[in-house]
Amino acid sequence: MLSRAASAAAEVLTGGRGAGMTHAWLFTGPPGSGREEAARAFAAALLCPDGGCGHCDLCHQVLIGSHPDLETVRPQGLSYGVKDTRRLILRAAGAPTLGRWRVVLFEDADRATEGASNALLKAIEEPPPRTVWLLCSPAPDDMMITIRSRCRVVTLRTPTTAAVAHVLATRDGIAPDLAEFAARASGGHIERARRLALDNDVRRRREAVLSIPRTLTGVGDCVAAAEKLVKTAEEEAAAVSSVLNEAETTELRKIYGEGSSGKGLNKGLVRGGAGALKELEERQKSRATRLKRDVIDSALLDLVAFYRDVLAVQLGARVELANADLHHDLTALARASTPEGTLRRVDAIMLCRERLAANVNPQMAVEAMTLSLRRP
Ligand SMILES: [Zn+2]
């Protein structure tokens, strides 16, 4: 579908009708299914004179995000607001610098607020002739129906364990055994699998999370486990945030002339600098909250996979276990509990994810969960 559309798009550029090309696309699929990668490859196909050869300078620029006609939007905070969206729409409306298309790749478009979505809808309804919108979201339902109905939807699936292991082994040169383990443990999420295979810290954190179920015997253990999980997430998020924040703040101060003598600095510029700095701080705060939430969520997904394995053992289901390396823990827990109990535990984890998404205090939400996970 995408390569047909890219050929049609090339036809449009030479004055043809280009049936099969459309200016608004929605890439959906579960996390790790490669939504952004697919959208980026399509952007390269539109912007490269060879239909996305993958080798030329223009393709390279698209892949690293420096192509002048590609605008990548990656919401860093909890939401993407109407002010940012209006600025984006303005930039997107310009004529393409290199004469082909102007492409907007909007990652996590589901984070657009209602106001932002309405602005986006208007831009998609009345598109400039050469602007192409590539929106990405986990499920079509995450987008307003009015936006969805104006987009061509590309639906991606979670790749199989074998496919993920193959990519890790051939693309990243990871040893087949490790690739296989990482692919299984990450449930088909290529990026998580890659980090798991390459980063010792990530592997250690996974082990720590998966050791939680066997420690939950008394109420005190549950409270302690919750506290530890939240604290580790906070530390990890803070480490990532501080690196990002520092670079951004230095960059912004430089733009507004700090560090020079200050003489001759226009007053308006100084005021503008203070405003921009405040705006940046707010964005950074929102991103830090999101980072922490994402870290906890990824731990919760590991726990879901663990109890799903317990259930598979209890039911004697012939499915691949995500945590085959923890076979001893799995079978011990499977014997000590019932399938109904395991399902209740999975529900408790999913409820915790919902609560976190709804802004419940993480410590309280996680504690309620670990108490429900208590061993029989
Ligand atoms: Zn190319």
Side-chain angles (χ1 to χ4, degrees):
M1 171 165 58
L2 294 174
S3 48
R4 267 202 310 275
S7 310
E11 236 177 82
V12 173
L13 295 179
T14 54
R17 267 183 60 239
M21 177 56 186
T22 184
H23 65 278
W25 295 77
L26 177 59
F27 291 79
T28 72
S33 57
R35 296 183 299 255
E36 280 86 21
E37 282 72 16
R40 198 166 294 116
F42 185 47
L46 294 175
L47 295 172
C48 160
D50 280 334
C53 66
H55 306 295
C56 70
D57 275 355
L58 295 172
C59 279
H60 183 64
Q61 286 173 10
V62 170
L63 296 181
I64 64 169
S66 69
H67 192 290
D69 289 325
L70 172 69
E71 176 92 35
T72 307
V73 185
R74 194 171 292 144
Q76 304 267 308
L78 297 169
S79 61
Y80 193 76
V82 66
K83 226 161 87 187
D84 287 329
T85 307
R86 291 219 175 97
R87 275 187 227 143
L88 170 70
I89 291 168
L90 221 54
R91 287 198 302 275
T97 321
L98 300 185
R100 293 183 70 86
W101 301 94
R102 237 182 137 73
V103 181
V104 183
L105 201 180
F106 197 150
E107 300 184 357
D108 300 325
D110 52 308
R111 291 190 193 263
T113 61
E114 202 184 328
S117 296
N118 282 319
L120 203 58
L121 175 64
K122 261 189 228 131
I124 291 176
E125 273 175 337
E126 293 160 29
R130 290 289 181 83
T131 302
V132 181
W133 291 87
L134 309 178
L135 310 177
C136 305
S137 77
D141 292 356
D142 297 331
M143 299 303 295
M144 258 172 29
I145 184 157
T146 39
I147 291 187
R148 205 165 73 215
S149 63
R150 280 171 179 78
C151 292
R152 191 170 303 162
V153 179
V154 179
T155 311
L156 301 166
R157 278 178 307 202
T158 303
T160 61
T161 303
V164 174
H166 179 73
V167 169
L168 295 186
T170 53
R171 185 193 64 183
D172 303 317
I174 293 165
D177 279 1
L178 184 57
E180 171 81 30
F181 154 78
R184 234 182 328 153
S186 59
H189 191 306
I190 295 184
E191 185 46 32
R192 285 184 71 197
R194 195 183 65 85
R195 282 202 303 267
L196 194 61
L198 294 177
D199 190 336
N200 279 330
D201 284 347
V202 175
R203 273 209 295 278
R204 248 201 322 274
R205 272 199 297 276
R206 170 179 175 270
E207 274 162 30
V209 168
L210 293 178
S211 73
I212 289 177
R214 67 169 171 263
T215 64
L216 303 175
T217 38
V219 172
D221 304 321
C222 297
V223 174
E227 202 178 304
K228 198 167 148 221
L229 201 148
V230 174
K231 207 164 150 242
T232 316
E234 267 165 7
E235 281 165 7
E236 192 187 334
V240 179
S241 294
S242 78
V243 175
L244 294 171
N245 292 358
E246 214 174 290
E248 286 167 354
T249 309
T250 313
E251 186 58 28
L252 192 69
R253 284 182 193 276
K254 233 192 297 175
I255 290 170
Y256 283 98
E258 207 183 84
S260 68
S261 68
K263 260 185 213 157
L265 263 185
N266 165 321
K267 274 218 177 86
L269 196 60
V270 173
R271 261 203 303 279
L277 200 61
K278 195 157 172 272
E279 204 178 293
L280 176 65
E281 274 165 11
E282 268 161 29
R283 270 212 304 276
Q284 290 174 338
K285 224 174 111 190
S286 165
R287 178 177 62 201
T289 310
R290 177 177 162 197
L291 275 171
K292 178 173 149 190
R293 210 181 269 178
D294 286 353
V295 174
I296 298 180
D297 195 56
S298 129
L300 297 185
L301 287 176
D302 280 341
L303 284 175
V304 169
F306 179 88
Y307 285 104
R308 173 247 185 216
D309 284 353
V310 173
L311 188 64
V313 174
Q314 286 171 325
L315 300 176
R318 277 200 212 134
V319 292
E320 196 177 39
L321 298 180
N323 304 286
D325 53 320
L326 300 170
H327 204 265
H328 179 76
D329 282 14
L330 294 175
T331 42
L333 200 56
R335 259 190 240 118
S337 60
T338 61
E340 290 79 8
T342 308
L343 276 175
R344 270 199 301 277
R345 292 185 175 88
V346 170
D347 282 344
I349 302 170
M350 297 315 268
L351 179 64
C352 180
R353 296 185 69 210
E354 271 171 40
R355 284 175 173 163
L356 289 172
N359 252 333
V360 171
N361 174 296
Q363 179 68 37
M364 283 169 70
V366 174
E367 215 172 272
M369 176 195 81
T370 48
L371 284 166
S372 313
L373 296 181
R374 199 141 64 100
R375 299 183 66 122

